[in-house]
Amino acid sequence: MHAAGAIVGALNRAPVVIDLGFTRLSTNLGVSLLVALLLGVLIGGLAISASVVLPMRRRLARAQRQGAISAPTSGS
């Protein structure tokens, strides 16, 4: 995976300036592509967590309170 990042960085060496409105970031295209990919993965993971995992945890907690499901035990 690190090799893929190094290849993307090496093949996309053009300088770019990213204007965020309150500041400007000067970097090369490869770094900006990798950062955009990483941010997309993180935002997608948070969206999945918010839309699937958290409601399932709430439903499980509600079912456990009602006694429908016994809490998992650890050990042998």
Side-chain angles (χ1 to χ4, degrees), residues 6-76:
I7 291 171
V8 168
L11 293 176
N12 296 289
R13 298 183 64 122
V16 294
V17 177
I18 301 170
D19 188 357
L20 299 175
F22 56 89
T23 189
R24 290 182 180 201
L25 302 173
S26 297
T27 185
N28 65 29
L29 184 59
V31 170
S32 61
L33 285 172
L34 292 174
V35 168
L37 178 65
L38 178 64
L39 285 174
V41 167
L42 290 175
I43 291 170
L46 289 173
I48 291 291
S49 178
S51 66
V52 175
V53 175
L54 293 177
M56 289 177 70
R57 284 188 179 201
R58 274 187 257 132
R59 191 182 328 166
L60 176 62
R62 190 177 318 123
Q64 286 176 342
R65 279 193 306 268
Q66 294 173 353
I69 301 173
S70 62
T73 58
S74 61
S76 53

